[in-house]
Amino acid sequence: MSDRKVTKIGVLTSGGDSPGMNAAIRAVVRTSLYHGLEVYGVLRGYNGMVEDDIFKMESRSVANIIQRGGTILKTARSKDFYEYDGRKRAYDNLKKRGINGLVVIGGDGSFNGALRFSKEFDIPCIGLPGTIDKDIAGTDFTIGFDTAVNTAVEAIDKIRDTADAHDRLFIIEVMGRDAGYIALHSGIATGAEHILIPERKTDIESVIASLQEKEKRKKLVNLIVVAEGDEFGGAEQVARVVKEKMPNVDARVCILGHIQRGGSPSCIDRLIASRMGYHAVECLLTGKHNVMVGIQNNKMHYTPLENAVKAKQKINEEWMRIVKILAS
Ligand code: ADP
């Protein structure tokens, strides 16, 4: 707890974009104004702080954005912010406007930057988990995950139709560089036979054995969902081995790619973004500084940024068991 008074808040989106970031920005801006605070938008992540691309926001600045994907503040990765000189310039740009509190909407990388910055320059920072990957501990939801996973489900359902018409095996790659949540959720929801994720070692031999067994049973429609960061390789790599071992199988690859980042945020993402944005400002006002605002068991949950950057959300073993049993 800190008794330092925050009067001017900066808000930025950083790292990978995710649907619902706009709803979070809107909540931060409107809650700040409600409390009589000044609020400033920082453009292109930490770059805007370093390069002084900062502007004052009013209630109308966030009109008509709750339903829009992407982020009106733009997002970027900032090389300069890794260096002390860059962060010092960023601090000077905040200081000359009197900005004395920051809300950073992004992933764990962005929280790392915020943590460093808050320690060096004593500016309280609040992190909001904005990532489609859902790989952050201390929260059941991250802004954008629900939308991304629903986009993946919709696409995989469509692929299943054509897979069924042609008796094909489809190997579908979804996003997730270090985390398998999109793969796991979308795979279970679409009845995939196998879900390959970076958190578990892929036993390709047993995947092949199971496909061969299904082939004998004349189960010809098979979906394999692979997270892009799976340690065995992406969908192309899996397809290469399948074609080698099962030359009679008509195996196709589909990489869903960036469609998973875009689109109008789902109801859940708008809701959690609004709640988190509201609570971010409340945290700055009540002295609960340098925390990530999350939601656990439908209650707000605050994780010190120090812990938020260290811990990853764990894959539930029971879910892996469900995948196996339901695909048999
Ligand atoms: P994400 O927030 O989606 O995980 P990144 O890992 O790319 O994305 O981080 C976003 C930005 O946060 C980086 O481009 C950099 O500007 C800043 N950042 C990340 N780690 C650090 C760090 N250790 N020190 C300073 N800035 C950092």
Side-chain angles (χ1 to χ4, degrees), residues 147-160 186 190 256:
T147 308
V149 91
N150 275 301
T151 302
V153 165
E154 205 184 316
I156 297 170
D157 281 347
K158 288 177 177 158
I159 293 167
R160 182 183 274 285
S186 66
T190 54
L256 297 189

Side-chain angles (χ1 to χ4, degrees), residues 167 212-222:
D167 290 335
Q212 284 167 335
E213 187 272 326
K214 281 175 180 146
E215 193 184 23
K216 274 192 209 136
R217 280 200 273 134
K218 299 268 177 270
K219 185 179 189 303
L220 300 171
V221 180
N222 283 296

